[in-house]
Amino acid sequence: MTVTQASSTFQRILDHSSRADPYPLYAELRRTPVARQEDGGYVVSTYREITALLHDPHLSSDAHNLDRPGPALAMRGDTPAFIGLDPPDHDRLRRMAMRHFGPPHSPTLVDDMRPDLNTIVTRLIDNLVSKEEIDIVDDFAYPFPVTVICHLLGVPREDEPRFHRWVEAIVAMLGFDPATDPEDRLQEGVRARDSLREYLAGLLESRRGRPAGDDLLSRLVNDDGPDGRMTDEEIVSTANLLLIAGHETTVNLIANGVLTLLRHPDVLERLRHEPGMIIRTVEELLRYEPPVQIIPWRAAYSDVTVAGTTIPKGSRIALVLASGNRDPARFRDPDRFDPDRRDNQHLGFGAGIHLCFGAPLARLEAQIALNELFLNLESPRLVADPPPYRQSPILRGPRHLLVRQE
């Protein structure tokens, strides 16, 4: 495949008309594992090469290391979260956040949430069982993880209508392409980012000097750990990241899971009789329909050679995780949804130092949500297939998912 062809394929993937089924285009893209784009960037689409780059210290997550940072720098802001930093700053901030979220300091935090997660899901399902038609996204897949992350962070659940519109604009900004998208989309996203950070800064101030509560914001504001205390700006950036990533990806995981299981009634029937298979079912969903499809950019610290192609220092590199998850060189019969798949080392949560911070919680949320939903719905069937999809090619999932009970 020529550079022009590979570039055209990637642009077709980004186009919303391909959102319902980008997988044939991913297969086309894999014919050139490292494809130079017309704008000078590179797209990597095969499992081995993506995995190698995710672990490569020569790749940077800091937009300042791009030769032409463009909108990436505008999205970053003055004080980026640790996902937009490199070691040692990344490691310090991630370690300080993890101190209050998981091992080694809070090893049972996620598992201890199981009763509360079950209670939230049960309450949502009780409101669904009598309905003839349900929007899985609006009625279930969205309110569940939003409620969870609000409780975990200490964000008032009743403020959801305020931050929802900001999050929508920020997510829309993630895939901004200056060549094809209106400048207003980027500017609206930047304004929304600033508004959300201002809102979180107000919450932070309200917790200062008070006895540390159970929520993450209170702990970050008032606790001095081995690495000291985050600055206010670092706390706000961390909370901003966790609020968005803590529900946006899980909404897609649950909605994509419902859609996939309804398309595979044989697997769904097994799951209803063997609820213990939900663990490997969610892992296969993370491979087959990952909620994060593309890491839109990394920067090369120095010249990097991948699959025989030398990528120059400062180049923008996109990693197509969803394509790697369907790579036949790594997964047998990759386009088949198979919860019994062995050695399922998928890229659903990324890999390397930026492996998804909230993966244990997202897994548990999806396991509980899907098991309980299908144990309680009566003969559900899709109203429209494919459903309408959200705009973003990066965080890919249905905008709505209408299901009718018989």
Side-chain angles (χ1 to χ4, degrees):
M1 187 186 299
T2 66
V3 169
T4 302
Q5 289 172 323
S7 181
S8 172
T9 300
F10 190 58
Q11 288 304 314
R12 287 159 61 201
I13 289 167
L14 298 180
D15 190 274
H16 188 260
S17 63
S18 302
R19 203 70 73 244
D21 186 14
Y23 295 100
L25 291 173
Y26 290 150
E28 187 176 319
L29 194 63
R30 283 193 300 273
R31 291 165 52 193
T32 307
V34 182
R36 186 177 183 277
Q37 306 297 290
E38 291 180 347
D39 64 1
Y42 290 78
V43 173
V44 182
S45 56
T46 45
Y47 181 93
R48 184 174 66 177
E49 284 68 34
I50 292 170
T51 304
L53 287 173
L54 287 171
H55 290 88
D56 193 332
H58 295 98
L59 249 64
S60 171
S61 297
D62 188 336
H64 282 108
N65 291 309
L66 289 167
D67 274 351
R68 292 181 292 170
L73 202 55
M75 296 177 204
R76 178 185 189 271
D78 294 333
T79 306
F82 53 79
I83 197 173
L85 295 171
D86 299 323
D89 290 334
H90 164 273
D91 298 352
R92 175 181 62 86
L93 290 174
R94 181 174 173 125
R95 187 168 56 242
M96 293 168 77
M98 183 60 79
R99 171 179 166 79
H100 305 287
F101 190 80
H105 300 285
S106 308
T108 65
L109 184 144
V110 171
D111 200 52
D112 288 347
M113 293 176 67
R114 187 183 292 269
D116 288 338
L117 300 183
N118 277 303
T119 298
I120 297 167
V121 164
T122 299
R123 188 182 304 123
L124 289 169
I125 291 175
D126 285 347
N127 293 327
L128 300 182
V129 291
S130 62
K131 290 185 175 181
E132 181 179 329
E133 190 168 290
I134 301 161
D135 186 340
I136 293 296
V137 176
D138 287 351
D139 298 334
F140 186 69
Y142 178 76
F144 174 39
V146 165
T147 301
V148 173
I149 198 62
C150 283
H151 173 75
L152 189 62
L153 277 176
V155 173
R157 180 62 174 82
E158 60 269 23
D159 286 351
E160 184 275 336
R162 289 182 66 192
F163 68 72
H164 176 72
R165 65 179 185 272
W166 296 329
V167 171
E168 288 271 291
I170 293 167
V171 170
M173 174 177 68
L174 294 179
F176 178 79
D177 183 346
T180 57
D181 295 331
E183 178 71 15
D184 286 352
R185 180 180 297 176
L186 176 62
Q187 296 306 320
E188 184 180 352
V190 170
R191 288 193 296 270
R193 180 202 65 204
D194 293 343
S195 295
L196 181 56
R197 291 188 176 187
E198 183 179 346
Y199 164 76
L200 292 170
L203 292 181
L204 180 155
E205 196 59 38
S206 71
R207 312 296 164 82
R208 192 187 310 281
R210 297 184 178 184
D214 290 335
D215 62 274
L216 192 57
L217 263 179
S218 293
R219 292 179 179 181
L220 289 173
V221 172
N222 295 294
D223 182 54
D224 290 308
D227 291 292
R229 187 179 295 189
M230 289 185 187
T231 66
D232 288 357
E233 293 79 10
E234 290 170 342
I235 295 172
V236 167
S237 291
T238 300
N240 181 81
L241 169 66
L242 298 183
L243 178 61
I244 297 173
H247 76 272
E248 280 292 318
T249 53
T250 310
V251 172
N252 288 342
L253 177 57
I254 294 171
N256 287 333
V258 171
L259 177 61
T260 301
L261 286 166
L262 289 176
R263 287 172 169 173
H264 296 82
D266 54 332
V267 176
L268 179 55
E269 188 63 22
R270 280 186 61 199
L271 182 61
R272 282 176 160 156
H273 290 91
E274 304 173 48
M277 70 179 280
I278 189 61
I279 294 174
R280 61 182 186 273
T281 299
V282 168
E283 293 309 304
E284 176 67 347
L285 285 168
L286 285 161
R287 183 199 69 84
Y288 186 78
E289 285 277 26
V292 180
Q293 300 253 310
I294 302 168
I295 296 176
W297 66 267
R298 289 286 190 264
Y301 268 133
S302 58
D303 291 359
V304 179
T305 300
V306 185
T309 298
T310 298
I311 301 175
K313 176 183 177 180
S315 296
R316 177 179 178 138
I317 306 170
L319 305 176
V320 190
L321 304 180
S323 176
N325 276 347
R326 296 286 189 105
D327 188 345
R330 175 59 181 84
F331 298 101
R332 183 178 180 182
D333 198 5
D335 293 323
R336 180 169 176 256
F337 178 63
D338 180 14
D340 296 321
R341 187 180 300 278
R342 297 186 181 276
D343 188 26
N344 192 2
Q345 297 294 314
H346 57 75
L347 300 171
F349 288 124
I353 65 169
H354 291 289
L355 179 72
C356 178
F357 181 93
L361 177 58
R363 282 186 164 105
L364 185 59
E365 287 176 302
Q367 292 164 12
I368 292 173
L370 295 172
N371 250 357
E372 293 302 316
L373 185 70
F374 284 117
L375 283 174
N376 286 278
L377 293 187
E378 290 291 333
S379 304
R381 63 179 180 85
L382 294 169
V383 173
D385 191 9
Y389 275 80
R390 303 171 71 181
Q391 183 66 35
S392 175
I394 297 168
L395 302 178
R396 175 181 169 271
R399 167 69 68 183
H400 299 286
L401 184 60
L402 297 181
V403 169
R404 183 169 291 141
Q405 298 189 87
E406 296 296 340

